[in-house]
Amino acid sequence: MNGLDNVVFGGKKFSDILEEIYNNQKKKEKQISALISELKPLVNEIGDATLIVPLIKEYLEISVKNDE
């Protein structure tokens, strides 16, 4: 565990970077949940879902690519 306190990048400790990653993932999770909640009322029939679900998929894919 001693390695977590080593400064590795830009004056930040490894533990600080891990905390940032965790916080960013939690923030993204909340944003995705909020997006889905906002879009749910727009889905009244299967045709609506075929339009909206690809938008959510695209948003998730972009989010994953940004993490890489």
Side-chain angles (χ1 to χ4, degrees):
M1 290 298 240
N2 201 16
L4 295 177
D5 292 327
N6 293 337
V7 175
V8 293
F9 182 74
K12 293 185 179 184
K13 296 183 288 186
F14 185 65
S15 60
D16 295 335
I17 294 171
L18 290 176
E19 182 179 9
E20 279 185 43
I21 292 169
Y22 175 81
N23 290 336
N24 287 342
Q25 289 299 321
K26 285 300 190 183
K27 180 181 174 184
K28 188 183 316 177
E29 182 180 325
K30 287 179 184 177
Q31 289 173 334
I32 291 169
S33 293
L35 172 68
I36 292 171
S37 294
E38 289 176 19
L39 294 175
K40 269 186 191 179
L42 302 176
V43 178
N44 296 317
E45 54 188 53
I46 193 71
D48 299 336
T50 59
L51 294 174
I52 293 175
V53 170
L55 295 174
I56 295 171
K57 178 183 175 278
E58 182 74 21
Y59 184 81
L60 292 171
E61 286 176 350
I62 290 170
S63 179
V64 168
K65 287 179 185 177
N66 286 340
D67 285 347
E68 293 175 352

